[in-house]
Amino acid sequence: MSQPVESFSPFAVSVLRAADRRLRSADRGDLMTRYAACRSAMSALTRIDTFYVGLYIGQTTLSIPYCVDDKQFLSADVQQFGPNGLSAYIKSTGQDYRYRQDGGRRVRLGWTITERPVLDAIVVPLHGFEANEIIGMMCVESCVADTFDDEAVRAMHWLSRALVWELVQDRNFADDLGLYELYPELDSSRTQNGTDLLRTLTRELERLRLALHGVELPDDPGLAEPRRLLAEARESGERLHLELADALATTQREQPTRKDNTAGLTTRELEIAMLIAVDGLTNRELASRLFISEKTVKVHVGNILRKLGISQRSAIPYVIGEIHPSATPPDQ
């Protein structure tokens, strides 16, 4: 017999339902809102000093696109990890981690965010599209011992599944409509290259700059320091906006080489690209060969096209051939 599922408290139910609404209502591709919904839910349920989401890149690299420490948003980061730390444990086992398992040893071996001692932590895996695929992790940390109870662990586990579910729905919805199978370059939720990314950053920074200029503080001696900080923020925003605009102009003037556009394929994406280049496999044949769904294949193929900077599947053999000379186009 299966073990009975322990129910959430009425307060936890209300918090998680609110998080569910935020996750569902977020625009397609709006990862920041979804990450924030998970953090807000955990902050309402328990004391947390640090919250972050990490995504695996290959076998030994973790990207941290979202991190809040002591109520401060930290810059995105990318970290290499060894075989004995927290990131490796989550990726290899696919199991939750709690501080009490080893007295925080793996936390101390993991990504260092703050100089304050971490005395409790929960880390849960983000399960991906395929069976046994771990795409990342979600973590909460506290500087107070024994902060997190069993309900907090269950909440983290539910939030991680809800987050990935919404990300899957984004992609499945597009796949069901066939919107981007033939024209992945039209998927506005994804940046295609460095120029596209710079445009996105410039646009968002301009929104931030205008918002800062819309803030007015009273001419009160007691607000001198906030006014100074606001002025510095405005100057920083303007300076960054000009630097990004200059970088965008420089990028547009320079024609990137094809080889520059081949970086960033994951192991699975490279495997699929090679099968397309060498054997000319269709999506259905790839799904059968790799024992994954055809929808998952479509996601990988879309990623490959985007990362290689091309728009047509037929161009994959020629671009891959520059990375791996053995991947000769089938018709040559």
Side-chain angles (χ1 to χ4, degrees):
M1 294 180 61
S2 61
Q3 295 293 324
V5 177
E6 190 171 354
S7 62
F8 286 108
S9 66
F11 178 69
V13 168
S14 66
V15 169
L16 295 176
R17 282 177 62 86
D20 187 54
R21 286 193 293 272
R22 287 188 65 186
L23 288 167
R24 289 172 180 269
S25 63
D27 292 337
R28 184 175 60 85
D30 186 358
L31 300 182
M32 296 300 288
T33 294
R34 287 172 172 150
Y35 296 153
C38 296
R39 179 181 67 86
S40 296
M42 290 307 300
S43 296
L45 292 173
T46 186
R47 171 205 168 111
I48 61 172
D49 291 297
T50 303
F51 175 98
Y52 71 84
V53 173
L55 301 174
Y56 291 110
I57 304 174
Q59 298 301 312
T60 60
T61 305
L62 184 72
S63 167
I64 303 97
Y66 183 91
C67 178
V68 179
D69 178 57
D70 193 23
K71 300 181 180 180
Q72 299 294 316
F73 286 89
L74 303 186
S75 300
D77 200 359
V78 176
Q79 299 282 336
Q80 299 293 316
F81 59 85
N84 301 314
L86 182 59
S87 299
Y89 172 83
I90 296 295
K91 186 171 180 61
S92 63
T93 67
Q95 301 295 316
D96 299 344
Y97 170 83
R98 297 188 69 172
Y99 187 94
R100 66 179 64 171
Q101 290 176 208
D102 58 5
R105 183 181 70 86
R106 292 191 187 277
V107 170
R108 290 188 289 274
L109 289 173
W111 186 46
T112 302
I113 301 173
T114 177
E115 295 181 356
R116 295 171 299 157
V118 176
L119 299 179
D120 204 359
I122 306 170
V123 188
V124 297
L126 300 179
H127 293 271
F129 305 110
E130 304 173 24
N132 302 319
E133 181 188 19
I134 308 301
I135 63 172
M137 63 168 70
M138 183 186 298
C139 173
V140 292
E141 296 176 346
S142 174
C143 297
V144 176
D146 301 320
T147 296
F148 305 127
D149 57 16
D150 292 342
E151 183 172 71
V153 175
R154 295 200 308 277
M156 279 281 288
H157 193 254
W158 185 89
L159 286 167
S160 70
R161 295 176 63 185
L163 173 64
V164 173
W165 170 258
E166 291 302 325
L167 302 183
V168 171
Q169 297 316 298
D170 278 356
R171 178 49 52 188
N172 286 350
F173 177 74
D175 286 342
D176 288 342
L177 295 178
L179 290 174
Y180 310 116
E181 183 176 359
L182 294 178
Y183 304 104
E185 70 275 17
L186 300 183
D187 186 350
S188 62
S189 69
R190 298 185 176 203
T191 57
Q192 289 187 284
N193 48 46
T195 300
D196 199 11
L197 176 60
L198 282 172
R199 286 196 186 100
T200 300
L201 292 175
T202 302
R203 182 170 60 251
E204 292 301 314
L205 189 56
E206 175 65 2
R207 291 177 57 188
L208 175 60
R209 188 180 68 83
L210 292 174
L212 287 173
H213 276 280
V215 177
E216 295 293 341
L217 295 179
D219 187 13
D220 185 337
L223 297 177
E225 181 63 12
R227 284 203 307 275
R228 183 186 68 79
L229 294 175
L230 179 60
E232 288 184 356
R234 288 171 175 169
E235 291 176 4
S236 295
E238 291 174 355
R239 184 166 57 251
L240 287 173
H241 184 261
L242 290 174
E243 290 176 359
L244 277 176
D246 182 64
L248 178 58
T250 301
T251 301
Q252 290 175 326
R253 287 194 299 267
E254 297 174 353
Q255 180 64 34
T257 64
R258 177 174 288 180
K259 188 171 183 179
D260 288 337
N261 289 336
T262 60
L265 293 183
T266 66
T267 302
R268 176 64 99 183
E269 290 165 357
L270 181 57
E271 179 183 16
I272 290 174
M274 291 287 285
L275 288 172
I276 293 173
V278 177
D279 298 333
L281 298 188
T282 65
N283 284 358
R284 180 172 297 180
E285 290 168 338
L286 286 166
S288 177
R289 174 80 67 88
L290 301 174
F291 302 102
I292 58 179
S293 71
E294 196 168 344
K295 284 186 176 180
T296 299
V297 172
K298 290 179 181 179
V299 172
H300 286 310
V301 172
N303 288 340
I304 291 166
L305 295 176
R306 173 175 58 84
K307 291 180 179 180
L308 295 181
I310 56 180
S311 60
Q312 296 298 326
R313 182 193 182 100
S314 59
I316 290 177
Y318 302 95
V319 179
I320 287 296
E322 295 188 356
I323 316 174
H324 295 272
S326 61
T328 304
D331 59 349
Q332 290 188 352

